[in-house]
Amino acid sequence: MRGTTTIDDGLHDFLGVRDRLLRIARGIAGPDAEDVVQDAWLRWNGTDRTVVRDAPAFLSRTTTRLSLTRTQTAYARHQSPVGLCPPDPGGRGDDPAALAVAADELRGAMALLLARLGPRERVAYLLREAFALPYRQIAGLLGVSEAHARQLTRRARARLAAPGDGQVSSVDQHGLLAAFSEVSRTGDPAALVSLAA
């Protein structure tokens, strides 16, 4: 009974944000959006949900990461940029090797954001797509109008979808990854906002 309740609760949480997840995936991965959302469901279904504090934020972040990984993988198949994209590892559990692969994926996603987006675009994009903040709040954090916050996010999506490459400083990559991890852990966007200057 308890197992069924957990599965039902997880399905309810997932279906409650599925439309948002599809919007995130379409904005990043385009035609692969449905596959990305299915992967997010599989990841969610295999997650110990008792340790998840905010299901919508967790699912949005997972979908963003999966979308970025899929975009990188597709780009790598066509362009083969050296060091930009790790191979798609397929299914993972919670073992140390799987966690290392997930960490590599996240580092690759941060490198892609650094290579393609300006500081404000990066921050606006992550706050919207990974943490599902409303545009009004993003605008307030960045000190811009709501329309400008929307424009920053739209521009970021377009640049991520376009082919391109660039050099990424390991210091910048570490800084963005640390800020992203801090916001994921605390829910306070200040660490990312500080990188928008």
Side-chain angles (χ1 to χ4, degrees):
M1 287 288 190
R2 183 174 174 80
T4 302
T5 301
T6 303
I7 290 169
D8 289 346
D9 289 347
L11 180 60
H12 180 266
D13 288 339
F14 181 82
L15 292 176
V17 294
R18 187 175 185 278
D19 288 344
R20 178 198 298 175
L21 303 183
L22 275 171
R23 285 194 304 273
I24 291 170
R26 284 189 188 115
I28 303 169
D32 292 335
E34 292 281 352
D35 291 339
V36 169
V37 172
Q38 180 63 30
D39 289 346
W41 161 250
L42 294 173
R43 186 74 57 87
W44 175 242
N45 200 33
T47 296
D48 177 7
R49 291 186 287 275
T50 61
V51 300
V52 176
R53 289 182 298 178
D54 185 338
F58 177 91
L59 285 162
S60 296
R61 187 170 59 248
T62 299
T63 301
T64 299
R65 289 172 59 182
L66 289 168
S67 298
L68 288 168
T69 299
R70 187 171 287 259
T71 300
Q72 291 173 317
T73 304
Y75 180 65
R77 280 197 301 267
H78 296 295
Q79 303 294 333
S80 302
V82 177
L84 181 63
C85 174
D88 187 356
R92 292 189 293 258
D94 289 329
D95 62 280
L99 293 175
V101 170
D104 283 344
E105 282 184 356
L106 186 56
R107 278 192 292 274
M110 294 301 124
L112 183 70
L113 293 176
L114 283 163
R116 304 253 184 108
L117 305 180
R120 281 192 168 193
E121 290 171 345
R122 267 195 303 272
V123 172
Y125 180 82
L126 285 172
L127 291 175
R128 179 65 184 173
E129 302 297 349
F131 299 105
L133 263 62
Y135 287 112
R136 181 178 301 142
Q137 189 175 352
I138 294 169
L141 289 166
L142 294 179
V144 299
S145 69
E146 187 173 344
H148 191 191
R150 289 177 184 277
Q151 180 59 33
L152 286 169
T153 308
R154 271 196 303 272
R155 194 180 310 145
R157 286 192 199 109
R159 289 185 177 178
L160 286 170
D165 200 357
Q167 295 297 318
V168 176
S169 154
S170 60
V171 173
D172 290 343
Q173 187 175 358
H174 177 73
L176 183 58
L177 185 58
F180 182 84
S181 299
E182 178 73 8
V183 179
S184 297
R185 187 176 61 79
T186 66
D188 181 357
L192 269 176
V193 173
S194 69
L195 299 178

